[in-house]
Amino acid sequence: MITKSNLYRKEKIYGYLFILPPILGLLIFTLFPFVYSLYGSFTDWDGLGQMNFIGFDNFKDLFTDELFYKSMYNTLFLMLGIPIGLLLALLLALGLNRKIPGTTTFRVIYYIPVISSLAAVSIMWNWAYNGDYGLVNQFLELFGIKGPNWLMDKDTVKPALILMTVWKGLGYTMLLYLAALQSVSRSYYEAAELDGASGFQMFRNITWPMVKPVTFFLVVTNIIGGSQIFTEMNIMTPTGGPEYSSASIVFYIWDKAFKNLQMGYASAMAMILGIFIFIVTLIQFKMNEKSSFDGD
Amino acid sequence: MSHSQRTKVTNIIIFIALAIGAIVMIAPLLWMLSTSVKEKQDVFALPPVWIPEVFQFSKYKEIWEAGPLLSGIKNSVIVAVSVTVVGTFTSSVAAFAFAKLRFPHKNKLFLLLIASMMIPYPTVMIPQFMMFSKLGWVDTLLPLIVPGLFGNVVMIFFLRQYLLSVPDAIIEAAKIDGSSYFRLYSSITFPLIKPAVAAQLILWFMGIWNDYLAPIIYLNSPETQTLQLVIANFNATYAIQTDYPLIMAASIVALLPVLIIFLIFQKQIIESVAISGVKG
């Protein structure tokens, strides 16, 4: 006969057995490398010879490294695309939330860039930005504007990348906004309408508060994703762009670690990136806690 | 104008705006497609030619000779299929344990997994690279495959949430009947969560198929490269010769599999993304 405690003992064993792979994976492929990277950031690690402990030297060097500042600045600059994308996506979602024909088709079309391979669309945009015969300049020519050679000019390379990232991410943001809008009860709007509220008032007092948690979620995840941008510049500006003006922080880490074999130095940068993402995530967790206490 | 008339007019204006937006969104991809069937001289024609007079499909033949495209596809399939099949299994079994089984420290361990999502790939990629290079796995597909076999935290999280809404009573009843724990998972839980598993699997598959950073770190020789690297190399090689139809044809081939999967499963994918995002 199986006793209750016997049953529980078995359940315990199976429980641990079932979660063993992801826990092991976490230890081997995340926690251990993370600790190693932390240690490596305090050494002169070159991936080949000995790792000598050099204290904070890597971090001190970073403070005087012009390219580090540049790639940090570039990464942050590219995040200007986040508010632009959010605004456009919200407008789109508001439009798609109405009873108009073809909403499913629109949803699919706007979402196609999201699922498209980033490498393939980077290649496509790389060409679209060509100064002589790129799609973007051909389009501008319709209005009599002579476009620049986007990716070769340090003033236009970042806006060009922003435009592309907005294009790529718009469908995803729109989709999340749409899901949030559809969870807003119609009765709020009906009540407001009876009270004679204007469209703008309804947006400000009903829609905006209801989509605020999603906006926050999107801001945070976009910052986290944006701080790790890499593929676009690797394909479109393989040398980091004119005067390194399109290199992102991950691009610089990759360059230092795998091209120059300055693993310790690159680890120090990776740690700074990690701390940045940690802080952003922490803020999200705190805000989530708060909003769940608000009875959300 | 009455209220309903006004709504109608507004809707028409919005429809037109959405349609123009949709054209702008899809135009670059259509241009890519159109370029891939153009003659080389048409590519640079001004004003741009959207629909070429003669469709040249020869580039779609040429790409297989021009670079290791076929082996790129093969490598991508090997990585994406092995990771998603095995990884989905380990993830769903773990999600089942986290949601339905009782054992000490369960929630703490789950939190630990969730917390690990805070550690981004770029911060662990250097030691991971050294680790795999010590094993002699650089320039093989193993560094891309092995970590994924241990499961995917996002998937575990999503499936666990999904399973919490499945009543415990079904599982308890089967447990009393003496069903084994693996059978509880395989014949009771898994069928219930199949749609969620499928949606997550597809999303994960697309993520791996389109991955670029990890492959570029590990794979050097052309025959081990995944499809994304192969087309990036196409771009690097043939842009100098301005053979854009060739580059675009290769890019279309890289795009097509996920595009087809998406169009077939778009309903499930879109729902899954919407749910995971809003609840996230």
Side-chain angles (χ1 to χ4, degrees):
Chain A
M1 202 186 115
I2 309 165
T3 61
K4 201 168 177 200
S5 72
N6 218 333
L7 203 71
Y8 179 63
R9 203 172 55 89
K10 234 177 114 192
E11 181 160 340
K12 212 163 81 177
I13 293 167
Y14 276 95
Y16 284 129
L17 197 67
F18 286 173
I19 65 161
L20 191 62
I23 297 288
L24 268 182
L26 167 77
L27 292 175
I28 302 170
F29 301 112
T30 308
L31 287 186
F32 172 69
F34 182 76
V35 173
Y36 208 89
S37 189
L38 181 64
Y39 171 69
S41 68
F42 294 106
T43 69
D44 62 356
W45 193 19
D46 62 2
L48 306 164
Q50 258 191 335
M51 292 168 83
N52 301 307
F53 190 82
I54 53 166
F56 282 93
D57 280 6
N58 284 330
F59 293 92
K60 276 186 216 143
D61 288 347
L62 278 177
F63 280 113
T64 53
D65 182 348
E66 201 198 326
L67 292 185
F68 172 69
Y69 280 115
K70 228 171 187 169
S71 50
M72 272 298 209
Y73 169 77
N74 293 339
T75 309
L76 292 173
F77 192 100
L78 292 176
M79 288 188 196
L80 285 176
I82 298 173
I84 301 169
L86 287 179
L87 183 70
L88 282 173
L90 181 58
L91 287 174
L92 270 174
L94 285 169
L96 284 174
N97 197 32
R98 298 173 76 98
K99 282 202 172 53
I100 50 174
T103 44
T104 313
T105 314
F106 283 136
R107 239 174 23 172
V108 169
I109 291 177
Y110 283 103
Y111 201 72
I112 283 177
V114 180
I115 54 110
S116 301
S117 131
L118 187 53
V121 300
S122 295
I123 291 170
M124 189 262 304
W125 278 98
N126 186 23
W127 186 35
Y129 281 133
N130 185 297
D132 298 320
Y133 37 75
L135 180 66
V136 174
N137 282 358
Q138 290 193 354
F139 177 74
L140 289 175
E141 215 145 287
L142 294 177
F143 305 96
I145 302 167
K146 174 96 183 68
N149 200 347
W150 295 90
L151 300 175
M152 301 294 176
D153 187 327
K154 71 173 171 37
D155 295 323
T156 53
V157 64
K158 281 195 281 282
L161 285 171
I162 289 174
L163 178 68
M164 176 198 164
T165 53
V166 169
W167 173 84
K168 179 88 169 78
L170 196 59
Y172 174 75
T173 312
M174 170 213 75
L175 194 63
L176 295 202
Y177 267 136
L178 194 59
L181 288 176
Q182 283 171 350
S183 67
V184 181
S185 166
R186 296 276 340 144
S187 60
Y188 289 127
Y189 293 102
E190 280 154 17
E193 212 155 27
L194 284 178
D195 289 341
S198 71
F200 178 71
Q201 279 172 325
M202 282 196 262
F203 176 79
R204 227 190 68 156
N205 297 315
I206 304 171
T207 314
W208 181 244
M210 292 304 278
V211 299
K212 225 165 116 184
V214 183
T215 305
F216 183 70
F217 170 77
L218 283 165
V219 168
V220 170
T221 49
N222 277 336
I223 291 175
I224 293 173
S227 64
Q228 298 177 56
I229 185 169
F230 171 78
T231 308
E232 293 89 328
M233 40 278 296
N234 183 270
I235 291 178
M236 296 165 75
T237 55
T239 55
E243 295 173 36
Y244 223 59
S245 53
S246 65
S248 70
I249 186 69
V250 174
F251 186 94
Y252 193 41
I253 293 172
W254 170 78
D255 199 58
K256 281 285 176 204
F258 303 108
K259 296 234 148 146
N260 298 323
L261 295 179
Q262 288 177 266
M263 301 274 185
Y265 193 64
S267 294
M269 280 192 277
M271 279 302 128
I272 289 175
L273 174 70
I275 291 165
F276 172 78
I277 289 174
F278 178 73
I279 292 168
V280 174
T281 315
L282 218 56
I283 294 170
Q284 184 197 15
F285 271 100
K286 285 278 164 222
M287 296 290 277
N288 262 348
E289 250 168 49
K290 220 178 100 204
S291 69
S292 58
F293 282 125
D294 289 342
D296 188 35
Chain B
M1 220 172 3
S2 79
H3 182 76
S4 73
Q5 261 179 318
R6 214 172 54 214
T7 312
K8 224 174 189 174
V9 172
T10 319
N11 279 352
I12 291 170
I13 294 169
I14 289 174
F15 179 84
I16 294 168
L18 285 172
I20 293 171
I23 293 168
V24 173
M25 288 299 284
I26 205 80
L29 294 169
L30 290 179
W31 203 49
M32 194 171 171
L33 185 66
S34 127
T35 304
S36 73
V37 294
K38 270 180 203 167
E39 302 259 8
K40 218 166 144 186
Q41 66 269 17
D42 277 354
V43 170
F44 310 107
L46 280 171
V49 180
W50 282 86
I51 302 165
E53 272 174 45
V54 248
F55 287 87
Q56 271 291 350
F57 289 104
S58 61
K59 291 295 166 187
Y60 283 90
K61 272 189 218 121
E62 222 177 284
I63 46 176
W64 308 99
E65 310 288 317
L69 198 61
L70 198 63
S71 81
I73 293 174
K74 204 185 84 199
N75 292 331
S76 285
V77 168
I78 292 172
V79 173
V81 170
S82 58
V83 167
T84 49
V85 169
V86 179
T88 299
F89 173 71
T90 46
S91 303
S92 57
V93 169
F96 163 70
F98 277 124
K100 293 298 171 203
L101 298 183
R102 280 163 303 179
F103 51 93
H105 310 298
K106 183 173 79 170
N107 291 333
K108 269 182 230 147
L109 288 167
F110 183 67
L111 261 176
L112 184 72
L113 271 186
I114 298 299
S116 76
M117 286 200 280
M118 261 192 254
I119 301 177
Y121 181 66
T123 57
V124 296
M125 69 183 181
I126 300 168
Q128 258 193 32
F129 175 82
M130 294 312 295
M131 202 163 85
F132 287 124
S133 114
K134 284 244 158 64
L135 290 170
W137 286 2
V138 171
D139 214 16
T140 73
L141 298 176
L142 289 169
L144 307 179
I145 294 173
V146 174
L149 302 181
F150 290 80
N152 174 332
V153 180
V154 177
M155 192 181 220
I156 294 171
F157 178 75
F158 186 79
L159 293 180
R160 176 186 172 268
Q161 299 305 97
Y162 198 91
L163 271 169
L164 290 178
S165 62
V166 172
D168 287 340
I170 309 172
I171 286 150
E172 289 301 323
K175 227 187 264 178
I176 305 289
D177 286 348
S179 180
S180 80
Y181 285 95
F182 188 72
R183 271 192 69 89
L184 283 182
Y185 156 79
S186 65
S187 56
I188 300 175
T189 316
F190 189 77
L192 286 171
I193 59 171
K194 237 181 184 153
V197 171
Q200 286 292 307
L201 190 145
I202 294 165
L203 283 172
W204 195 12
F205 185 93
M206 288 175 163
I208 298 171
W209 187 268
N210 292 337
D211 188 21
Y212 186 77
L213 180 53
I216 203 178
I217 291 171
Y218 288 107
L219 308 174
N220 307 313
S221 29
E223 60 274 12
T224 60
Q225 289 180 339
T226 56
L227 184 55
Q228 306 304 326
L229 291 185
V230 172
I231 57 155
N233 284 339
F234 259 84
N235 184 46
T237 313
Y238 294 100
I240 309 157
Q241 304 166 26
T242 63
D243 198 345
Y244 288 108
L246 186 84
I247 297 169
M248 294 297 136
S251 302
I252 293 277
V253 168
L255 261 172
L256 224 47
V258 275
L259 204 62
I260 292 168
I261 297 176
F262 171 68
L263 291 175
I264 296 171
F265 296 102
Q266 53 97 359
K267 207 171 155 247
Q268 290 87 334
I269 292 169
I270 281 180
E271 261 166 30
S272 183
V273 170
I275 292 169
S276 50
V278 174
K279 296 253 169 85

